[in-house]
Every structure is written in C-alpha cells, then in structure tokens.
Amino acid sequence: MRDITTSKEKLLKKIRQALLEKRDNPYPNLENLPMYPPAPDNLDVMFAEEFMAVQGQFAFCEDEVQFIETLLELAEKRNWRKIYCWEPALQEILSRYEYPFFETDKDFEQAEVGFTLCEALIARNGSIMLSNANAAGRRLSIYPGVHIVLAYTSQLVPDLKDGFALIKKKYGAHMPSMISNVTGPSRTADIEKTLVLGAHGPKELFVFLLEG
C-alpha cells in the first residue's frame, strides 16, 4: 500500500517524538552568558573609535576653556552664525565665555546648528543616547543640518543596557516619552544603494567630551 503521509505530518511526528524524549540541555547557562566580550577600561577611546567609524566627529577637551576654543575655531571655519541652544546647563557654559547662541526658537527654520547635552554615550557602538526630557526636546537634535553634543566622561557606558540603567536611575518612574539612540549622522541608501547623509536629520554630528 502506498504511503500517503504528507511531509507536514512526517515533520509533526518527528517533533512529537522529540518532545517525548527527555534530554539534558546542552547549554544550560546560555541565557546568562554575556553577549559581548568585556569592555576595556578606556571607554573614551572605544567610543571615539566606534563613533568616528560611523562618520561622527569627535573632540576630547580637558576643560571648558579648550572646549570653547575648539568650538570657536570650528564655527569660524564653517561660518556658523545661527547656533541654537535651549538647555540651561549648556547655556550657562556658553554665556560664561560670551559665546553667542539663540536661546529661543525664533527663526528656527534658519537654524544651522543644534547644540544639546545627552543622556549617555554608548561605547560599544559609538552611539549617543538622547531623550526629550531636556529643554532641547525633540526638535533640536533633528532639524538643523549640524548637531553638536556636549557630553561628560561620567556618561560613558559600555552597552545600551547600561545607558538605559542610567536613564532609569535619573528619572525613576518619570521616564521620558522619547528615548533615541543616534549612531552617526542621518543616512539612507534606499535609492539605488547610494549612501546619502542627512536624509532624515543632521548631515554632521559632533561630540565634545569633557572630564566630569
């Protein structure tokens, strides 16, 4: 008699037999194993290398004076005139050194640079973790063609889970409604697989890292 058992039935039979046989798990601790090798101690170097690998531009500054000097030199070279900064802590630093900026959204459609702080720097993949909990909100890191981030070494963490832990510790039950992870300038290769920067956001992304 011809066997009319379908391939599906044969497969289900094998699965049932396998479920009936009790076997020891060959990888009992698999879920507890780390996904990545341990991160090095110098997270700043790791972040800088990964960040520049995705076409981010990085500068380490020993103090605020060096930060302002580097920023002045960069702004003069790029001819930036409309730099927008809405976060009080960052405004305080810029005002202390009489660095000009726009503190409201007046003529925001003409903004050349959005200047913000961040929640964390993810060293493993050179990413910047942002949220809308700060005064910069959702717009300042997205609309202008250039996004500059001032960060501190205390915000460097190895992986994404550590970044989320920082945010949870900072905000507790009042978590921000938007948390984003930015890896390099905005890009797309949807059209003919040609890479285009600035497709959905800033074309250039800078990180100034300060001790603290």
Side-chain angles (χ1 to χ4, degrees):
M1 182 175 178
R2 188 167 60 90
D3 185 7
I4 58 173
T5 305
T6 65
S7 298
K8 180 180 178 181
E9 290 172 336
K10 291 178 180 178
L11 177 62
L12 291 174
K13 184 178 179 181
K14 289 181 180 180
I15 293 175
R16 284 193 292 269
Q17 289 177 341
L19 290 174
L20 291 173
E21 296 178 10
K22 292 185 178 181
R23 299 179 181 178
D24 293 333
N25 184 352
Y27 307 104
N29 301 315
L30 183 62
E31 293 184 0
N32 298 322
L33 293 176
M35 185 176 295
Y36 302 107
D41 294 332
N42 51 343
L43 291 179
D44 53 345
V45 174
M46 185 180 189
F47 172 82
E49 290 176 347
E50 295 298 326
F51 182 64
M52 289 188 289
V54 291
Q55 298 179 328
Q57 302 185 58
F58 176 85
F60 181 83
C61 303
E62 293 183 355
D63 51 34
E64 290 180 357
V65 173
Q66 187 180 7
F67 158 59
I68 293 295
E69 288 177 347
T70 307
L71 181 60
L72 280 168
E73 182 180 346
L74 185 60
E76 187 67 27
K77 182 179 179 181
R78 300 297 186 91
N79 197 31
W80 291 335
R81 293 294 179 264
K82 295 187 180 297
I83 298 178
Y84 282 71
C85 174
W86 298 339
E87 299 183 59
L90 190 47
Q91 289 179 344
E92 183 182 348
I93 296 174
L94 297 178
S95 298
R96 191 183 307 148
Y97 296 95
E98 301 181 351
Y99 191 92
F101 61 89
F102 287 77
E103 57 182 305
T104 70
D105 62 355
K106 181 182 178 181
D107 299 324
F108 185 63
E109 68 279 1
Q110 301 176 23
E112 297 171 318
V113 178
F115 210 157
T116 75
L117 299 171
C118 68
E119 299 292 355
L121 298 180
I122 313 301
R124 184 80 62 185
N125 57 3
S127 297
I128 305 165
M129 190 168 281
L130 304 169
S131 84
N132 67 329
N134 296 320
R138 298 171 182 262
R139 290 185 295 163
L140 203 52
S141 63
I142 296 175
Y143 183 80
V146 178
H147 181 200
I148 298 178
V149 175
L150 177 65
Y152 294 88
T153 52
S154 59
Q155 295 176 295
L156 281 163
V157 295
D159 299 300
L160 276 171
K161 61 181 177 61
D162 306 300
F164 284 116
L166 270 185
I167 291 179
K168 187 175 181 180
K169 181 179 179 181
K170 181 178 179 180
Y171 296 104
H174 305 285
M175 293 290 283
S177 61
M178 183 207 77
I179 300 173
S180 59
N181 189 56
V182 178
T183 307
S186 171
R187 68 190 66 206
T188 184
D190 291 344
I191 302 174
E192 296 183 356
K193 300 189 182 299
T194 301
L195 182 64
V196 178
L197 296 182
H200 312 293
K203 187 177 294 186
E204 292 185 287
L205 181 59
F206 294 82
V207 166
F208 289 87
L209 184 63
L210 279 174
E211 285 284 355

